[in-house]
Amino acid sequence: MMLEVNEMGLPEQGPAADAPEEAQVLTVEESCGRLSQYLRDILRDAERARLDVDRLSEPCRALGRELEAFRDLAAELVSYSSRLSKGNLSQALPDSGSCLYSGLKNLHANLKHLTWQAKQVTKGDYAQHVAHLGEFSDAFNDMIRQLREREVQLKQEIVRARRRAEIITSYTEMLVELLDQREEWLLVVDQENHEIIHCNKGHRDGKGNAAYCEKCRHRLPIQHRLLDWAGSERYQVWEVEEENSAGCYRVISFPIEWRERPSFVHIVMDVTAEKMNARHLNDDIYQDADTGVRNRQFLDEFMGQVLREKQDITLCYLDLEGVADINTSYGRKVGDAYIQNFVEIVRKNFRSGDTFARIKDDKFCLMLTGNVKHLIERKMDEILTAFQRDDDRVFSHRCNFRYCILEVEGEYNVLSLDKLLEEAESAVKRQKRKQRRKNREPVDFDIW
């Protein structure tokens, strides 16, 4: 082809070599192939699928436009389902009425309702029930049922635990109240700071610090050992002596929850007398040869230490009646049997650690740690009853004894052992005079 020359003598430029050729209309067969490929592209990746409807043959263009509409629908469906699969339930439901959306719309609605139900369950509403989700519904409903059962069990366990705590607290308070009335020391020590938070010897008049006890500090020299105690055993009984061996104590220690504070309880008993008795058990110089009980020498040493340490003790002076008459009427052997019978009955009614001593032929003394007059009075009535049941053993002689009980408060006592015994003996003589006047018997000047 020859190029035309313009007015400037330059040849006219033809079309660029890389310019697209004018779009040609495809044949029907080619159009069908193009539509099939377009459909495959939509199903593979709708966002990237492309179709030039204008190049399709005329009969195929309507189908091409419908496929373009299908492509937009598929792209929206993919986007919607993708967001839904990621848990985005706040998105709006598509406006399309296509049946392709019906299942996803139902799933969307069910998931939103399920989310609300799950929130209700977290608030304790176990009446929720899920339906129309097949196996998931069964699993979810089974989970709710188990949670409901577990809640019932937990509530029952809480009630039982609360009751146990109340019972433990009440028993603890009852135990403390009972121990507060006894002479043993009861100290509750905080496990963390090792401070006394309760002491049964503390102030009870509302004055001062009830958790700190001057009496314990002065009369319980092992207090520092109790504060430092951190035993690992659940329940421990241990003994400790003072540094100068002046006193010995038996301690019962155990952990406890004291008013919501982890603590140790120490119940402290003074066993100095018991240890002293044990040390001198086989020592003849401290024993009465006829009865096997302690003698006056032991009593002097024992009470000397008790009075020096200002300990509280209860002294019971015993006057056995009828010994002289039995010795005169039946002989000394029968009199000794009468005394031994009395001694055995007394010993059976008291602990081995209590101190029982013979002062002289028919005079005895019984000492118990602490102020326990009420206990000894009750025991004396039992002893007298048992003693008088044994009348036949001493030729129908009337068994009897008199007694006087003195409570010695260590901190305030100023009397010696001799003075205490004199006071007790005077009280017994007054009892005898009173009984003789009541019976209108002749006056026995020996008891004046």
Side-chain angles (χ1 to χ4, degrees):
M1 175 183 292
M2 298 296 293
L3 296 176
E4 296 183 359
V5 180
N6 58 20
E7 295 180 352
M8 297 182 64
L10 296 174
E12 291 286 344
Q13 294 183 358
D18 58 351
E21 299 180 359
E22 182 180 353
Q24 296 180 355
V25 177
L26 302 174
T27 63
V28 173
E29 184 178 353
E30 291 174 338
S31 298
C32 289
R34 185 64 59 84
L35 290 173
S36 298
Q37 183 61 43
Y38 183 52
L39 179 58
R40 285 192 294 270
D41 293 341
I42 292 174
L43 297 177
R44 189 179 299 113
D45 188 354
E47 290 289 341
R48 297 185 179 184
R50 298 289 183 270
L51 177 66
D52 188 353
V53 178
D54 294 336
R55 292 194 63 192
L56 298 176
S57 64
E58 185 63 30
C60 296
R61 290 179 181 177
L63 178 58
R65 284 188 283 272
E66 290 299 328
L67 284 177
E68 284 187 326
F70 175 72
R71 179 256 182 197
D72 295 338
L73 179 64
E76 183 183 25
L77 182 61
V78 169
S79 176
Y80 172 63
S81 61
S82 177
R83 294 193 301 272
L84 189 62
S85 68
K86 295 178 181 178
N88 185 359
L89 304 180
S90 61
Q91 61 178 321
L93 295 174
D95 296 331
S96 175
S98 172
C99 63
L100 297 177
Y101 285 96
S102 59
L104 288 177
K105 288 181 177 180
N106 289 336
L107 178 61
H108 191 172
N110 287 335
L111 289 176
K112 290 187 70 173
H113 184 63
L114 182 62
T115 301
W116 178 84
Q117 288 181 301
K119 291 180 180 180
Q120 294 301 111
V121 171
T122 60
K123 297 177 181 178
D125 180 7
Y126 299 120
Q128 299 300 319
H129 184 80
V130 177
H132 311 302
L133 288 177
E135 294 181 1
F136 181 82
S137 297
D138 296 338
F140 191 86
N141 293 333
D142 188 56
M143 180 192 70
I144 294 176
R145 178 185 59 78
Q146 293 181 15
L147 287 173
R148 181 168 55 247
E149 293 175 355
R150 183 58 178 161
E151 182 188 45
V152 173
Q153 293 175 359
L154 288 175
K155 287 182 177 179
Q156 292 173 348
E157 291 177 4
I158 290 173
V159 171
R160 288 194 293 268
R162 185 177 292 117
R163 289 176 179 172
R164 284 196 297 269
E166 292 174 353
I167 292 173
I168 291 173
T169 301
S170 62
Y171 276 133
T172 301
E173 293 177 352
M174 181 179 69
L175 173 64
V176 171
E177 183 176 351
L178 290 174
L179 291 174
D180 280 349
Q181 300 173 8
R182 297 182 59 84
E183 287 304 311
E184 292 91 345
W185 285 274
L186 171 69
L187 273 71
V188 182
V189 180
D190 188 284
Q191 289 188 18
E192 296 180 357
N193 55 31
H194 302 282
E195 293 181 353
I196 298 175
I197 55 179
H198 177 79
C199 175
N200 65 335
K201 306 293 185 182
H203 301 284
R204 300 185 186 180
D205 55 3
K207 299 178 180 179
N209 183 2
Y212 180 75
C213 177
E214 288 284 347
K215 192 174 185 180
C216 280
R217 191 178 69 169
H218 293 305
R219 291 196 47 212
L220 190 56
I222 64 167
Q223 186 184 106
H224 65 283
R225 298 280 297 275
L226 302 178
L227 298 181
D228 295 336
W229 187 85
S232 58
E233 298 181 19
R234 184 65 184 168
Y235 180 89
Q236 184 172 346
V237 180
W238 51 297
E239 292 186 357
V240 57
E241 290 190 6
E242 297 179 33
E243 295 179 357
N244 56 2
S245 299
C248 184
Y249 304 88
R250 182 174 297 124
V251 185
I252 301 174
S253 303
F254 53 89
I256 194 174
E257 190 78 16
W258 178 267
R259 297 175 181 173
E260 301 181 356
R261 296 173 65 176
S263 309
F264 291 121
V265 171
H266 301 290
I267 301 173
V268 186
M269 294 161 282
D270 189 338
V271 293
T272 304
E274 181 180 330
K275 292 296 181 180
M276 181 182 291
N277 286 345
R279 282 194 294 267
H280 301 299
L281 187 61
N282 298 318
D283 197 335
D284 293 339
I285 65 172
Y286 292 109
Q287 280 188 303
D288 178 64
D290 295 329
T291 61
V293 299
R294 301 299 182 207
N295 57 20
R296 177 60 188 262
Q297 182 175 345
F298 178 88
L299 180 64
D300 289 340
E301 293 187 16
F302 172 79
M303 286 300 296
Q305 181 175 350
V306 168
L307 297 177
R308 283 194 303 273
E309 295 179 358
K310 297 186 177 300
Q311 297 181 28
D312 291 343
I313 196 167
T314 302
L315 184 150
C316 179
Y317 178 84
L318 297 159
D319 186 348
L320 180 60
E321 296 184 341
V323 175
D325 293 340
I326 293 175
N327 287 340
T328 301
S329 302
Y330 304 107
R332 183 65 180 265
K333 180 177 286 189
V334 176
D336 289 344
Y338 177 65
I339 295 173
Q340 187 63 45
N341 184 41
F342 167 74
V343 169
E344 289 302 319
I345 293 175
V346 173
R347 293 175 70 172
K348 287 179 182 179
N349 282 270
F350 289 92
R351 302 169 299 184
S352 59
D354 299 327
T355 302
F356 187 35
R358 186 180 187 183
I359 303 174
K360 53 185 177 181
D361 291 343
D362 53 0
K363 306 295 189 295
F364 295 82
C365 195
L366 178 68
M367 280 79 63
L368 274 71
T369 302
N371 297 142
V372 288
K373 181 178 180 180
H374 61 287
L375 172 63
I376 297 181
E377 286 178 339
R378 186 175 71 250
K379 287 290 185 180
M380 287 298 123
D381 292 338
E382 296 174 2
I383 291 170
L384 182 59
T385 301
F387 190 40
Q388 292 180 344
R389 281 201 303 265
D390 294 335
D391 284 353
D392 293 340
R393 295 178 58 181
V394 287
F395 304 98
S396 300
H397 180 82
R398 177 65 175 173
C399 299
N400 196 26
F401 63 87
R402 303 279 177 175
Y403 66 90
C404 174
I405 301 174
L406 299 178
E407 286 189 329
V408 181
E409 297 185 15
E411 292 190 356
Y412 307 105
N413 176 64
V414 294
L415 301 179
S416 65
L417 173 61
D418 290 336
K419 291 296 183 182
L420 291 171
L421 293 177
E422 288 178 8
E423 184 177 324
E425 187 174 12
S426 298
V428 168
K429 288 182 177 180
R430 287 194 296 271
Q431 293 178 22
K432 291 182 177 181
R433 290 197 299 270
K434 184 177 180 180
Q435 186 64 40
R436 287 181 180 277
R437 286 197 298 269
K438 182 178 180 181
N439 297 336
R440 296 182 180 180
E441 297 177 5
V443 176
D444 184 353
F445 290 98
D446 289 339
I447 64 174
W448 283 82

